[in-house]
Every structure is written in C-alpha cells, then in structure tokens.
C-alpha cells in the first residue's frame, strides 16, 4: 500500500479532487488542518488588538492505494 498526502489551501480542494478523479482515483479523505509554509502567517487586528496568526487554515487530502506492478 502507498499513502499519498497533500496539504492545500481550502480554495483548491475541489480543483485537486477533480484532477484526481480524472486520473481514476476513486476515494480520498479530506481533513481540516492548520499550518504554514512560505506564507509564515500574518498579523490581524480584532477589536483594536493586533495579534499574529501563524497557523493558517489548510486542507489535508489523503489517498491510500495499492501500488501497481510494472
């Protein structure tokens, strides 16, 4: 078995799902996660108080499948 995992922005989930379906991937697990990559978070102001948001919302897409023999 092989596990493939991708972490993407929430707005890209449908695009990734459609691309996987086009190549014949039939099942997947999608989970909400938090993290940061190159973005490193951002500063935000709420009710006059500035705070740093370092963990941004992301989506984890996982697929487990049998490896094809060559």
């Amino acid at each position: 078995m092989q596990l493939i995992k991708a972490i993407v922005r929430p707005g890209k989930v449908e695009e990734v799902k459609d691309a996987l379906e086009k190549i014949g991937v039939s099942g997947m697990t999608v989970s909400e996660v938090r993290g940061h990559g190159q973005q490193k978070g951002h500063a935000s102001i709420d009710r006059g108080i500035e705070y740093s948001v370092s963990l941004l919302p992301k989506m984890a897409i996982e697929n487990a499948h049998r490896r094809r023999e060559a």
Side-chain angles (χ1 to χ4, degrees), residues 3-13 16 20 29-39 55-63:
L3 177 66
I4 299 172
K5 188 174 196 176
I7 309 294
V8 299
R9 285 177 270 155
K12 291 287 185 180
V13 172
V16 172
L20 289 171
T29 301
V30 179
S31 307
E32 291 182 19
V33 296
R34 292 192 158 299
H36 71 79
Q38 294 177 350
Q39 296 165 315
L55 298 177
L56 303 172
K58 305 286 183 183
M59 301 299 283
I61 301 171
E62 297 174 298
N63 173 262

Side-chain angles (χ1 to χ4, degrees), residues 18 35 48 66:
D18 292 343
R66 293 192 193 283

Side-chain angles (χ1 to χ4, degrees), residues 14-65:
E14 287 300 317
E15 186 177 328
V16 172
K17 185 178 81 95
D18 292 343
L20 289 171
E21 286 175 351
K22 281 184 182 178
I23 62 169
V25 175
S26 60
M28 66 189 75
T29 301
V30 179
S31 307
E32 291 182 19
V33 296
R34 292 192 158 299
H36 71 79
Q38 294 177 350
Q39 296 165 315
K40 304 281 191 236
H42 59 84
S44 192
I45 298 175
D46 184 30
R47 297 185 181 142
I49 300 172
E50 184 174 338
Y51 61 95
S52 176
V53 178
S54 61
L55 298 177
L56 303 172
K58 305 286 183 183
M59 301 299 283
I61 301 171
E62 297 174 298
N63 173 262
H65 68 280

